Amino acid sequence: MDSIDTIFNYYLTALRAGSDDALHRLLEMPPEILPMVVAAYSTEEDPAVRAALVHVAWEQRSADALPILETALNDPVPAVWKEALDGVVVLGSPEARRILLSARRVRPDRETDGSYTFEEWIADAIKQIDAASG
């Protein structure tokens, strides 16, 4: 039987090659892959793969994913930081809210698509967390 890191690396390679199935397979893997996801994200050059890794991380539905999401909020590629934003909202904890407040302070307000600023994305995410926590 293959080890979990061998299986993870197999699907990561497939993901880098453009396999849609690879993402689904990574999403089905156990939470023990989170450190491998973090390590892969930290060296990944392809923004699409970074975004997919962030998605895999937050789909673990664990507070242990918050550090990678916090890091990914600072990624210059909108697809990556928007994926991180989705994950922070899904996790929706007080720590997740703190991460959003911190990102708003650290990152300058700038346009992301010509009409909606990073600040507005963050404000909307905070509202979603607040509404969910009632």
Side-chain angles (χ1 to χ4, degrees), residues 5 8 30 36 43 50 52 56 60 68 76 100 110-111 130:
D5 59 326
F8 174 81
M36 291 176 257
T43 60
R50 284 198 314 272
V56 170
Q60 295 296 319
I68 187 176
L100 293 174
R110 63 181 184 185
E111 289 189 11
D130 290 347

Side-chain angles (χ1 to χ4, degrees), residues 4-84:
I4 193 167
D5 59 326
T6 301
I7 296 167
F8 174 81
N9 287 324
Y10 173 82
Y11 288 123
L12 178 59
T13 300
L15 182 67
R16 288 176 175 145
S19 168
D20 290 330
D21 186 55
L23 176 60
H24 299 290
R25 297 296 181 178
L26 288 169
L27 289 168
E28 293 171 352
M29 292 189 74
E32 291 79 26
I33 68 162
L34 190 55
M36 291 176 257
V37 171
V38 171
Y41 174 86
S42 71
T43 60
E44 185 57 52
E45 294 182 16
D46 184 334
V49 175
R50 284 198 314 272
L53 289 167
V54 170
H55 184 82
V56 170
W58 72 256
E59 281 287 357
Q60 295 296 319
R61 308 293 171 132
S62 168
D64 293 339
L66 286 171
I68 187 176
L69 300 180
E70 185 171 23
T71 298
L73 282 173
N74 293 310
D75 195 292
V77 178
V80 178
W81 64 256
K82 287 178 183 179
E83 189 66 51

